[in-house]
Amino acid sequence: ASVLPSSAERQCILLDDVQWMDASSSSFVEYLLTSTTIKCNILCSCRPLPNDCSFHRIIIKETLRDRCSTYPVLALSPNDIQSFLTLCTNDGFSNEDLECVRKLAEIISSKTNGNPFFVKQVIGLFVSNHLIQFNPDNGSWIFDLNAIHGLPYSSEVVSFLIQRISNLSCDAKHVLSVAACVGSQFCGELLSMIFGEETARLALGQLMTHGLMEKSSLGMHELFHFSHDSIQEAALSLLNEHEQKR
């Protein structure tokens, strides 16, 4: 708490994925909420909170309940998804295709229940299977609506991600599994030490191409992190308890 100024200027703190918050972290948040010297607003994002979550125990306390407000994020509607598709393709659909784009948005909506992360992953699946392609001859996007409609994939996020992971190369799957055991963020040098520089580089490249990982930097070091905590969850689910401990 010493890094936060105890002044009249109010601070804003953003905490993501608080469903994973441990007891010590929740104690720190509770301290911030009850502090008389530190003025701050805390904005948290999370999936639905289980009753045994540390953060859940904070917000149900009588002394803190009046300081916490909940704002559910609404699911994307078919119209929202249609607008997203149009934005991503830079209005690259022809006028004749607009009705098909509407149908495509409805298919995606029915499969994902409007979950924004799931919507992005499903669209990525269509692109990687060449069911949505760019036609350089006329500068427009084309898609196979019948093939998209018949493509088998799970309507559960983690199960869907497991399906996507199963289509990766053996090296990429192995790197992904080990990375999931390391944590939500890890240094590329660590994976290079484990798998060799070339294998790690190719595997991480494939994982980023499929939208499963993202890269950042800290000084001279390359850092990688899962694009979403559900990806790490899916990768861990492919390992048994013995493999995770090893």
Side-chain angles (χ1 to χ4, degrees):
S2 61
V3 300
L4 298 173
S6 55
S7 65
E9 186 175 345
R10 183 171 290 274
Q11 307 297 310
C12 182
I13 301 174
L14 174 62
L15 302 176
D16 193 17
D17 289 330
V18 297
Q19 71 272 7
W20 302 114
M21 184 178 287
D22 58 21
S24 58
S25 298
S26 65
S27 296
F28 177 64
V29 172
E30 186 174 349
Y31 165 77
L32 293 177
L33 289 171
T34 56
S35 173
T36 58
T37 59
I38 298 176
K39 297 181 179 180
C40 65
N41 294 328
I42 302 178
L43 179 63
C44 302
S45 66
C46 63
R47 287 190 269 162
L49 290 169
N51 290 334
D52 61 347
C53 171
S54 295
F55 189 72
H56 180 272
R57 290 193 289 272
I58 289 180
I59 62 177
I60 63 175
K61 287 187 177 180
E62 291 291 340
T63 55
L64 298 175
R65 190 176 297 170
D66 61 341
R67 303 189 188 191
C68 301
S69 300
T70 303
Y71 302 94
V73 177
L74 300 178
L76 297 177
S77 68
N79 285 339
D80 293 330
I81 297 173
Q82 182 174 347
S83 297
F84 178 69
L85 288 168
T86 303
L87 177 65
C88 289
T89 57
N90 195 27
D91 293 324
F93 291 112
S94 64
N95 291 331
E96 294 80 7
D97 286 334
L98 290 181
E99 177 61 21
C100 291
V101 174
R102 184 187 65 79
K103 293 180 179 178
L104 174 60
E106 290 178 349
I107 292 173
I108 295 173
S109 176
S110 66
K111 284 287 189 179
T112 63
N113 291 319
N115 180 315
F117 168 73
F118 203 177
V119 167
K120 181 181 177 181
Q121 288 293 317
V122 167
I123 293 174
L125 175 68
F126 296 159
V127 172
S128 63
N129 282 273
H130 308 293
L131 301 179
I132 299 179
Q133 299 183 71
F134 181 70
N135 185 350
D137 294 334
N138 57 16
S140 66
W141 289 80
I142 56 176
F143 54 93
D144 188 335
L145 196 60
N146 290 328
I148 288 173
H149 194 277
L151 188 67
Y153 56 92
S154 174
S155 58
E156 296 292 330
V157 175
V158 174
S159 298
F160 171 80
L161 290 171
I162 290 174
Q163 285 180 297
R164 291 209 69 187
I165 292 171
S166 67
N167 293 325
L168 298 172
S169 67
C170 291
D171 284 341
K173 284 188 284 189
H174 195 189
V175 168
L176 186 71
S177 298
V178 171
C181 296
V182 173
S184 59
Q185 181 174 277
F186 46 89
C187 181
E189 294 173 352
L190 174 62
L191 295 181
S192 294
M193 290 173 58
I194 298 173
F195 297 101
E197 184 175 348
E198 184 67 8
T199 298
R201 183 184 65 81
L202 292 175
L204 289 169
Q206 185 180 3
L207 294 171
M208 287 189 290
T209 298
H210 283 75
L212 301 174
M213 282 189 181
E214 297 176 0
K215 182 172 70 171
S216 59
S217 60
L218 180 63
M220 299 294 292
H221 301 283
E222 286 188 335
L223 297 178
F224 296 86
H225 63 273
F226 291 95
S227 303
H228 194 274
D229 64 304
S230 293
I231 299 172
Q232 183 181 8
E233 183 181 349
L236 284 173
S237 71
L238 296 174
L239 301 174
N240 59 42
E241 186 177 354
H242 173 71
E243 289 173 323
Q244 291 184 33
K245 289 181 178 179
R246 189 179 64 179

PDB file of all heavy atoms in Angstrom, residues 95-128:
ATOM      1  N   ASN A  95     -22.739  -5.779 -51.136  1.00  0.00           N
ATOM      2  CA  ASN A  95     -24.140  -5.543 -50.794  1.00  0.00           C
ATOM      3  C   ASN A  95     -24.966  -6.816 -50.931  1.00  0.00           C
ATOM      4  O   ASN A  95     -25.917  -7.049 -50.178  1.00  0.00           O
ATOM      5  CB  ASN A  95     -24.722  -4.448 -51.690  1.00  0.00           C
ATOM      6  CG  ASN A  95     -24.132  -3.080 -51.393  1.00  0.00           C
ATOM      7  OD1 ASN A  95     -23.727  -2.820 -50.264  1.00  0.00           O
ATOM      8  ND2 ASN A  95     -24.093  -2.203 -52.401  1.00  0.00           N
ATOM      9  N   GLU A  96     -24.595  -7.658 -51.895  1.00  0.00           N
ATOM     10  CA  GLU A  96     -25.336  -8.900 -52.091  1.00  0.00           C
ATOM     11  C   GLU A  96     -25.149  -9.864 -50.919  1.00  0.00           C
ATOM     12  O   GLU A  96     -25.971 -10.765 -50.696  1.00  0.00           O
ATOM     13  CB  GLU A  96     -24.873  -9.587 -53.386  1.00  0.00           C
ATOM     14  CG  GLU A  96     -25.195  -8.824 -54.670  1.00  0.00           C
ATOM     15  CD  GLU A  96     -24.224  -7.692 -54.946  1.00  0.00           C
ATOM     16  OE1 GLU A  96     -23.227  -7.581 -54.211  1.00  0.00           O
ATOM     17  OE2 GLU A  96     -24.478  -6.912 -55.895  1.00  0.00           O
ATOM     18  N   ASP A  97     -24.063  -9.683 -50.182  1.00  0.00           N
ATOM     19  CA  ASP A  97     -23.752 -10.609 -49.093  1.00  0.00           C
ATOM     20  C   ASP A  97     -24.319 -10.168 -47.744  1.00  0.00           C
ATOM     21  O   ASP A  97     -24.184 -10.892 -46.752  1.00  0.00           O
ATOM     22  CB  ASP A  97     -22.231 -10.769 -48.938  1.00  0.00           C
ATOM     23  CG  ASP A  97     -21.638 -11.614 -50.059  1.00  0.00           C
ATOM     24  OD1 ASP A  97     -22.371 -12.441 -50.612  1.00  0.00           O
ATOM     25  OD2 ASP A  97     -20.447 -11.423 -50.354  1.00  0.00           O
ATOM     26  N   LEU A  98     -24.907  -8.996 -47.652  1.00  0.00           N
ATOM     27  CA  LEU A  98     -25.329  -8.461 -46.358  1.00  0.00           C
ATOM     28  C   LEU A  98     -26.337  -9.366 -45.663  1.00  0.00           C
ATOM     29  O   LEU A  98     -26.302  -9.524 -44.436  1.00  0.00           O
ATOM     30  CB  LEU A  98     -25.911  -7.050 -46.539  1.00  0.00           C
ATOM     31  CG  LEU A  98     -24.890  -5.964 -46.900  1.00  0.00           C
ATOM     32  CD1 LEU A  98     -25.571  -4.610 -47.035  1.00  0.00           C
ATOM     33  CD2 LEU A  98     -23.785  -5.903 -45.841  1.00  0.00           C
ATOM     34  N   GLU A  99     -27.234  -9.979 -46.409  1.00  0.00           N
ATOM     35  CA  GLU A  99     -28.200 -10.891 -45.803  1.00  0.00           C
ATOM     36  C   GLU A  99     -27.496 -12.135 -45.269  1.00  0.00           C
ATOM     37  O   GLU A  99     -27.835 -12.654 -44.203  1.00  0.00           O
ATOM     38  CB  GLU A  99     -29.268 -11.290 -46.829  1.00  0.00           C
ATOM     39  CG  GLU A  99     -30.298 -12.293 -46.323  1.00  0.00           C
ATOM     40  CD  GLU A  99     -31.103 -11.785 -45.134  1.00  0.00           C
ATOM     41  OE1 GLU A  99     -31.165 -10.556 -44.929  1.00  0.00           O
ATOM     42  OE2 GLU A  99     -31.675 -12.635 -44.408  1.00  0.00           O
ATOM     43  N   CYS A 100     -26.484 -12.606 -46.013  1.00  0.00           N
ATOM     44  CA  CYS A 100     -25.702 -13.752 -45.538  1.00  0.00           C
ATOM     45  C   CYS A 100     -24.887 -13.388 -44.300  1.00  0.00           C
ATOM     46  O   CYS A 100     -24.713 -14.220 -43.405  1.00  0.00           O
ATOM     47  CB  CYS A 100     -24.771 -14.246 -46.648  1.00  0.00           C
ATOM     48  SG  CYS A 100     -25.622 -15.014 -48.046  1.00  0.00           S
ATOM     49  N   VAL A 101     -24.394 -12.158 -44.235  1.00  0.00           N
ATOM     50  CA  VAL A 101     -23.672 -11.701 -43.047  1.00  0.00           C
ATOM     51  C   VAL A 101     -24.596 -11.713 -41.835  1.00  0.00           C
ATOM     52  O   VAL A 101     -24.203 -12.104 -40.733  1.00  0.00           O
ATOM     53  CB  VAL A 101     -23.091 -10.287 -43.275  1.00  0.00           C
ATOM     54  CG1 VAL A 101     -22.459  -9.754 -41.991  1.00  0.00           C
ATOM     55  CG2 VAL A 101     -22.065 -10.303 -44.389  1.00  0.00           C
ATOM     56  N   ARG A 102     -25.842 -11.298 -42.043  1.00  0.00           N
ATOM     57  CA  ARG A 102     -26.825 -11.330 -40.957  1.00  0.00           C
ATOM     58  C   ARG A 102     -27.040 -12.760 -40.475  1.00  0.00           C
ATOM     59  O   ARG A 102     -27.100 -13.023 -39.263  1.00  0.00           O
ATOM     60  CB  ARG A 102     -28.152 -10.719 -41.416  1.00  0.00           C
ATOM     61  CG  ARG A 102     -29.205 -10.613 -40.320  1.00  0.00           C
ATOM     62  CD  ARG A 102     -30.533 -10.158 -40.881  1.00  0.00           C
ATOM     63  NE  ARG A 102     -31.086 -11.164 -41.792  1.00  0.00           N
ATOM     64  CZ  ARG A 102     -31.710 -12.274 -41.384  1.00  0.00           C
ATOM     65  NH1 ARG A 102     -31.821 -12.538 -40.086  1.00  0.00           N
ATOM     66  NH2 ARG A 102     -32.188 -13.123 -42.268  1.00  0.00           N
ATOM     67  N   LYS A 103     -27.147 -13.710 -41.408  1.00  0.00           N
ATOM     68  CA  LYS A 103     -27.328 -15.119 -41.036  1.00  0.00           C
ATOM     69  C   LYS A 103     -26.091 -15.662 -40.323  1.00  0.00           C
ATOM     70  O   LYS A 103     -26.205 -16.440 -39.376  1.00  0.00           O
ATOM     71  CB  LYS A 103     -27.638 -15.953 -42.285  1.00  0.00           C
ATOM     72  CG  LYS A 103     -28.988 -15.639 -42.919  1.00  0.00           C
ATOM     73  CD  LYS A 103     -29.233 -16.499 -44.157  1.00  0.00           C
ATOM     74  CE  LYS A 103     -30.598 -16.197 -44.773  1.00  0.00           C
ATOM     75  NZ  LYS A 103     -30.816 -17.007 -46.011  1.00  0.00           N
ATOM     76  N   LEU A 104     -24.902 -15.247 -40.795  1.00  0.00           N
ATOM     77  CA  LEU A 104     -23.665 -15.671 -40.153  1.00  0.00           C
ATOM     78  C   LEU A 104     -23.633 -15.178 -38.708  1.00  0.00           C
ATOM     79  O   LEU A 104     -23.264 -15.917 -37.787  1.00  0.00           O
ATOM     80  CB  LEU A 104     -22.457 -15.140 -40.922  1.00  0.00           C
ATOM     81  CG  LEU A 104     -21.071 -15.374 -40.300  1.00  0.00           C
ATOM     82  CD1 LEU A 104     -20.802 -16.863 -40.141  1.00  0.00           C
ATOM     83  CD2 LEU A 104     -19.985 -14.714 -41.158  1.00  0.00           C
ATOM     84  N   ALA A 105     -24.039 -13.936 -38.491  1.00  0.00           N
ATOM     85  CA  ALA A 105     -24.062 -13.375 -37.139  1.00  0.00           C
ATOM     86  C   ALA A 105     -25.033 -14.147 -36.252  1.00  0.00           C
ATOM     87  O   ALA A 105     -24.772 -14.375 -35.066  1.00  0.00           O
ATOM     88  CB  ALA A 105     -24.447 -11.895 -37.193  1.00  0.00           C
ATOM     89  N   GLU A 106     -26.140 -14.575 -36.810  1.00  0.00           N
ATOM     90  CA  GLU A 106     -27.114 -15.345 -36.035  1.00  0.00           C
ATOM     91  C   GLU A 106     -26.560 -16.715 -35.655  1.00  0.00           C
ATOM     92  O   GLU A 106     -26.803 -17.211 -34.551  1.00  0.00           O
ATOM     93  CB  GLU A 106     -28.413 -15.493 -36.836  1.00  0.00           C
ATOM     94  CG  GLU A 106     -29.195 -14.184 -36.976  1.00  0.00           C
ATOM     95  CD  GLU A 106     -30.449 -14.347 -37.812  1.00  0.00           C
ATOM     96  OE1 GLU A 106     -30.604 -15.422 -38.446  1.00  0.00           O
ATOM     97  OE2 GLU A 106     -31.276 -13.408 -37.836  1.00  0.00           O
ATOM     98  N   ILE A 107     -25.818 -17.345 -36.569  1.00  0.00           N
ATOM     99  CA  ILE A 107     -25.190 -18.638 -36.272  1.00  0.00           C
ATOM    100  C   ILE A 107     -24.192 -18.480 -35.129  1.00  0.00           C
ATOM    101  O   ILE A 107     -24.190 -19.266 -34.176  1.00  0.00           O
ATOM    102  CB  ILE A 107     -24.484 -19.196 -37.527  1.00  0.00           C
ATOM    103  CG1 ILE A 107     -25.509 -19.587 -38.595  1.00  0.00           C
ATOM    104  CG2 ILE A 107     -23.621 -20.413 -37.160  1.00  0.00           C
ATOM    105  CD1 ILE A 107     -24.881 -19.983 -39.922  1.00  0.00           C
ATOM    106  N   ILE A 108     -23.347 -17.461 -35.237  1.00  0.00           N
ATOM    107  CA  ILE A 108     -22.334 -17.230 -34.198  1.00  0.00           C
ATOM    108  C   ILE A 108     -23.002 -16.935 -32.861  1.00  0.00           C
ATOM    109  O   ILE A 108     -22.584 -17.433 -31.814  1.00  0.00           O
ATOM    110  CB  ILE A 108     -21.406 -16.077 -34.613  1.00  0.00           C
ATOM    111  CG1 ILE A 108     -20.610 -16.464 -35.863  1.00  0.00           C
ATOM    112  CG2 ILE A 108     -20.454 -15.707 -33.478  1.00  0.00           C
ATOM    113  CD1 ILE A 108     -19.790 -15.324 -36.457  1.00  0.00           C
ATOM    114  N   SER A 109     -24.054 -16.136 -32.891  1.00  0.00           N
ATOM    115  CA  SER A 109     -24.764 -15.791 -31.654  1.00  0.00           C
ATOM    116  C   SER A 109     -25.368 -17.020 -30.995  1.00  0.00           C
ATOM    117  O   SER A 109     -25.275 -17.195 -29.774  1.00  0.00           O
ATOM    118  CB  SER A 109     -25.866 -14.769 -31.955  1.00  0.00           C
ATOM    119  OG  SER A 109     -26.621 -14.474 -30.799  1.00  0.00           O
ATOM    120  N   SER A 110     -25.965 -17.902 -31.791  1.00  0.00           N
ATOM    121  CA  SER A 110     -26.610 -19.095 -31.231  1.00  0.00           C
ATOM    122  C   SER A 110     -25.592 -20.070 -30.640  1.00  0.00           C
ATOM    123  O   SER A 110     -25.895 -20.778 -29.672  1.00  0.00           O
ATOM    124  CB  SER A 110     -27.436 -19.801 -32.309  1.00  0.00           C
ATOM    125  OG  SER A 110     -26.604 -20.330 -33.331  1.00  0.00           O
ATOM    126  N   LYS A 111     -24.383 -20.089 -31.201  1.00  0.00           N
ATOM    127  CA  LYS A 111     -23.352 -21.010 -30.723  1.00  0.00           C
ATOM    128  C   LYS A 111     -22.634 -20.482 -29.484  1.00  0.00           C
ATOM    129  O   LYS A 111     -22.143 -21.256 -28.663  1.00  0.00           O
ATOM    130  CB  LYS A 111     -22.323 -21.267 -31.828  1.00  0.00           C
ATOM    131  CG  LYS A 111     -22.795 -22.197 -32.927  1.00  0.00           C
ATOM    132  CD  LYS A 111     -22.859 -23.643 -32.425  1.00  0.00           C
ATOM    133  CE  LYS A 111     -23.107 -24.611 -33.560  1.00  0.00           C
ATOM    134  NZ  LYS A 111     -23.154 -26.024 -33.066  1.00  0.00           N
ATOM    135  N   THR A 112     -22.540 -19.162 -29.359  1.00  0.00           N
ATOM    136  CA  THR A 112     -21.710 -18.558 -28.312  1.00  0.00           C
ATOM    137  C   THR A 112     -22.513 -17.890 -27.204  1.00  0.00           C
ATOM    138  O   THR A 112     -21.941 -17.467 -26.196  1.00  0.00           O
ATOM    139  CB  THR A 112     -20.782 -17.495 -28.913  1.00  0.00           C
ATOM    140  OG1 THR A 112     -21.590 -16.430 -29.468  1.00  0.00           O
ATOM    141  CG2 THR A 112     -19.909 -18.088 -30.013  1.00  0.00           C
ATOM    142  N   ASN A 113     -23.818 -17.765 -27.398  1.00  0.00           N
ATOM    143  CA  ASN A 113     -24.668 -17.014 -26.459  1.00  0.00           C
ATOM    144  C   ASN A 113     -24.171 -15.579 -26.268  1.00  0.00           C
ATOM    145  O   ASN A 113     -24.386 -14.964 -25.220  1.00  0.00           O
ATOM    146  CB  ASN A 113     -24.737 -17.721 -25.099  1.00  0.00           C
ATOM    147  CG  ASN A 113     -25.501 -19.030 -25.170  1.00  0.00           C
ATOM    148  OD1 ASN A 113     -26.527 -19.122 -25.840  1.00  0.00           O
ATOM    149  ND2 ASN A 113     -24.992 -20.046 -24.491  1.00  0.00           N
ATOM    150  N   GLY A 114     -23.494 -15.061 -27.277  1.00  0.00           N
ATOM    151  CA  GLY A 114     -23.055 -13.670 -27.238  1.00  0.00           C
ATOM    152  C   GLY A 114     -21.853 -13.402 -26.360  1.00  0.00           C
ATOM    153  O   GLY A 114     -21.520 -12.241 -26.102  1.00  0.00           O
ATOM    154  N   ASN A 115     -21.164 -14.455 -25.882  1.00  0.00           N
ATOM    155  CA  ASN A 115     -19.953 -14.276 -25.083  1.00  0.00           C
ATOM    156  C   ASN A 115     -18.869 -13.645 -25.966  1.00  0.00           C
ATOM    157  O   ASN A 115     -18.433 -14.261 -26.939  1.00  0.00           O
ATOM    158  CB  ASN A 115     -19.490 -15.647 -24.566  1.00  0.00           C
ATOM    159  CG  ASN A 115     -18.241 -15.575 -23.717  1.00  0.00           C
ATOM    160  OD1 ASN A 115     -17.281 -14.899 -24.058  1.00  0.00           O
ATOM    161  ND2 ASN A 115     -18.241 -16.299 -22.610  1.00  0.00           N
ATOM    162  N   PRO A 116     -18.402 -12.420 -25.651  1.00  0.00           N
ATOM    163  CA  PRO A 116     -17.465 -11.719 -26.545  1.00  0.00           C
ATOM    164  C   PRO A 116     -16.192 -12.509 -26.833  1.00  0.00           C
ATOM    165  O   PRO A 116     -15.733 -12.557 -27.979  1.00  0.00           O
ATOM    166  CB  PRO A 116     -17.156 -10.421 -25.788  1.00  0.00           C
ATOM    167  CG  PRO A 116     -18.359 -10.201 -24.928  1.00  0.00           C
ATOM    168  CD  PRO A 116     -18.814 -11.577 -24.513  1.00  0.00           C
ATOM    169  N   PHE A 117     -15.594 -13.122 -25.805  1.00  0.00           N
ATOM    170  CA  PHE A 117     -14.385 -13.904 -26.017  1.00  0.00           C
ATOM    171  C   PHE A 117     -14.672 -15.095 -26.927  1.00  0.00           C
ATOM    172  O   PHE A 117     -13.902 -15.396 -27.850  1.00  0.00           O
ATOM    173  CB  PHE A 117     -13.841 -14.396 -24.675  1.00  0.00           C
ATOM    174  CG  PHE A 117     -12.763 -15.445 -24.809  1.00  0.00           C
ATOM    175  CD1 PHE A 117     -11.496 -15.109 -25.242  1.00  0.00           C
ATOM    176  CD2 PHE A 117     -13.026 -16.775 -24.507  1.00  0.00           C
ATOM    177  CE1 PHE A 117     -10.505 -16.067 -25.380  1.00  0.00           C
ATOM    178  CE2 PHE A 117     -12.043 -17.744 -24.638  1.00  0.00           C
ATOM    179  CZ  PHE A 117     -10.779 -17.389 -25.080  1.00  0.00           C
ATOM    180  N   PHE A 118     -15.802 -15.765 -26.692  1.00  0.00           N
ATOM    181  CA  PHE A 118     -16.173 -16.935 -27.479  1.00  0.00           C
ATOM    182  C   PHE A 118     -16.440 -16.541 -28.927  1.00  0.00           C
ATOM    183  O   PHE A 118     -16.073 -17.261 -29.867  1.00  0.00           O
ATOM    184  CB  PHE A 118     -17.414 -17.579 -26.854  1.00  0.00           C
ATOM    185  CG  PHE A 118     -17.597 -19.043 -27.174  1.00  0.00           C
ATOM    186  CD1 PHE A 118     -18.652 -19.751 -26.606  1.00  0.00           C
ATOM    187  CD2 PHE A 118     -16.743 -19.708 -28.019  1.00  0.00           C
ATOM    188  CE1 PHE A 118     -18.844 -21.083 -26.893  1.00  0.00           C
ATOM    189  CE2 PHE A 118     -16.920 -21.055 -28.315  1.00  0.00           C
ATOM    190  CZ  PHE A 118     -17.980 -21.736 -27.756  1.00  0.00           C
ATOM    191  N   VAL A 119     -17.079 -15.386 -29.124  1.00  0.00           N
ATOM    192  CA  VAL A 119     -17.354 -14.890 -30.479  1.00  0.00           C
ATOM    193  C   VAL A 119     -16.046 -14.738 -31.252  1.00  0.00           C
ATOM    194  O   VAL A 119     -15.924 -15.174 -32.402  1.00  0.00           O
ATOM    195  CB  VAL A 119     -18.102 -13.539 -30.423  1.00  0.00           C
ATOM    196  CG1 VAL A 119     -18.105 -12.867 -31.799  1.00  0.00           C
ATOM    197  CG2 VAL A 119     -19.535 -13.734 -29.935  1.00  0.00           C
ATOM    198  N   LYS A 120     -15.054 -14.131 -30.605  1.00  0.00           N
ATOM    199  CA  LYS A 120     -13.753 -13.923 -31.264  1.00  0.00           C
ATOM    200  C   LYS A 120     -13.099 -15.246 -31.613  1.00  0.00           C
ATOM    201  O   LYS A 120     -12.531 -15.404 -32.712  1.00  0.00           O
ATOM    202  CB  LYS A 120     -12.856 -13.097 -30.345  1.00  0.00           C
ATOM    203  CG  LYS A 120     -11.489 -12.787 -30.926  1.00  0.00           C
ATOM    204  CD  LYS A 120     -10.651 -11.975 -29.951  1.00  0.00           C
ATOM    205  CE  LYS A 120      -9.253 -11.724 -30.484  1.00  0.00           C
ATOM    206  NZ  LYS A 120      -8.417 -10.954 -29.522  1.00  0.00           N
ATOM    207  N   GLN A 121     -13.172 -16.224 -30.695  1.00  0.00           N
ATOM    208  CA  GLN A 121     -12.561 -17.521 -30.940  1.00  0.00           C
ATOM    209  C   GLN A 121     -13.247 -18.270 -32.081  1.00  0.00           C
ATOM    210  O   GLN A 121     -12.588 -18.908 -32.911  1.00  0.00           O
ATOM    211  CB  GLN A 121     -12.598 -18.361 -29.662  1.00  0.00           C
ATOM    212  CG  GLN A 121     -11.633 -17.896 -28.582  1.00  0.00           C
ATOM    213  CD  GLN A 121     -10.184 -18.080 -28.985  1.00  0.00           C
ATOM    214  OE1 GLN A 121      -9.810 -19.105 -29.536  1.00  0.00           O
ATOM    215  NE2 GLN A 121      -9.364 -17.080 -28.700  1.00  0.00           N
ATOM    216  N   VAL A 122     -14.566 -18.196 -32.136  1.00  0.00           N
ATOM    217  CA  VAL A 122     -15.316 -18.889 -33.193  1.00  0.00           C
ATOM    218  C   VAL A 122     -15.002 -18.287 -34.559  1.00  0.00           C
ATOM    219  O   VAL A 122     -14.805 -19.009 -35.544  1.00  0.00           O
ATOM    220  CB  VAL A 122     -16.828 -18.840 -32.892  1.00  0.00           C
ATOM    221  CG1 VAL A 122     -17.636 -19.255 -34.119  1.00  0.00           C
ATOM    222  CG2 VAL A 122     -17.171 -19.764 -31.727  1.00  0.00           C
ATOM    223  N   ILE A 123     -14.952 -16.968 -34.636  1.00  0.00           N
ATOM    224  CA  ILE A 123     -14.586 -16.324 -35.901  1.00  0.00           C
ATOM    225  C   ILE A 123     -13.173 -16.735 -36.313  1.00  0.00           C
ATOM    226  O   ILE A 123     -12.911 -17.012 -37.493  1.00  0.00           O
ATOM    227  CB  ILE A 123     -14.699 -14.791 -35.775  1.00  0.00           C
ATOM    228  CG1 ILE A 123     -16.161 -14.379 -35.588  1.00  0.00           C
ATOM    229  CG2 ILE A 123     -14.119 -14.109 -37.024  1.00  0.00           C
ATOM    230  CD1 ILE A 123     -16.367 -12.911 -35.309  1.00  0.00           C
ATOM    231  N   GLY A 124     -12.262 -16.817 -35.338  1.00  0.00           N
ATOM    232  CA  GLY A 124     -10.910 -17.283 -35.631  1.00  0.00           C
ATOM    233  C   GLY A 124     -10.894 -18.700 -36.168  1.00  0.00           C
ATOM    234  O   GLY A 124     -10.099 -19.035 -37.054  1.00  0.00           O
ATOM    235  N   LEU A 125     -11.787 -19.548 -35.630  1.00  0.00           N
ATOM    236  CA  LEU A 125     -11.899 -20.926 -36.124  1.00  0.00           C
ATOM    237  C   LEU A 125     -12.333 -20.938 -37.586  1.00  0.00           C
ATOM    238  O   LEU A 125     -11.783 -21.689 -38.400  1.00  0.00           O
ATOM    239  CB  LEU A 125     -12.907 -21.701 -35.263  1.00  0.00           C
ATOM    240  CG  LEU A 125     -13.233 -23.121 -35.728  1.00  0.00           C
ATOM    241  CD1 LEU A 125     -12.020 -24.034 -35.555  1.00  0.00           C
ATOM    242  CD2 LEU A 125     -14.427 -23.681 -34.961  1.00  0.00           C
ATOM    243  N   PHE A 126     -13.301 -20.113 -37.928  1.00  0.00           N
ATOM    244  CA  PHE A 126     -13.778 -20.052 -39.309  1.00  0.00           C
ATOM    245  C   PHE A 126     -12.670 -19.594 -40.250  1.00  0.00           C
ATOM    246  O   PHE A 126     -12.500 -20.146 -41.343  1.00  0.00           O
ATOM    247  CB  PHE A 126     -14.970 -19.087 -39.414  1.00  0.00           C
ATOM    248  CG  PHE A 126     -16.190 -19.521 -38.649  1.00  0.00           C
ATOM    249  CD1 PHE A 126     -17.160 -18.594 -38.285  1.00  0.00           C
ATOM    250  CD2 PHE A 126     -16.373 -20.849 -38.295  1.00  0.00           C
ATOM    251  CE1 PHE A 126     -18.288 -18.990 -37.587  1.00  0.00           C
ATOM    252  CE2 PHE A 126     -17.506 -21.254 -37.596  1.00  0.00           C
ATOM    253  CZ  PHE A 126     -18.463 -20.320 -37.240  1.00  0.00           C
ATOM    254  N   VAL A 127     -11.899 -18.607 -39.816  1.00  0.00           N
ATOM    255  CA  VAL A 127     -10.818 -18.093 -40.659  1.00  0.00           C
ATOM    256  C   VAL A 127      -9.731 -19.150 -40.841  1.00  0.00           C
ATOM    257  O   VAL A 127      -9.242 -19.375 -41.956  1.00  0.00           O
ATOM    258  CB  VAL A 127     -10.226 -16.799 -40.048  1.00  0.00           C
ATOM    259  CG1 VAL A 127      -8.975 -16.371 -40.819  1.00  0.00           C
ATOM    260  CG2 VAL A 127     -11.250 -15.679 -40.065  1.00  0.00           C
ATOM    261  N   SER A 128      -9.351 -19.836 -39.736  1.00  0.00           N
ATOM    262  CA  SER A 128      -8.278 -20.837 -39.825  1.00  0.00           C
ATOM    263  C   SER A 128      -8.697 -22.035 -40.670  1.00  0.00           C
ATOM    264  O   SER A 128      -7.844 -22.726 -41.229  1.00  0.00           O
ATOM    265  CB  SER A 128      -7.868 -21.299 -38.424  1.00  0.00           C
ATOM    266  OG  SER A 128      -8.944 -21.954 -37.768  1.00  0.00           O
TER     267      SER A 128
END
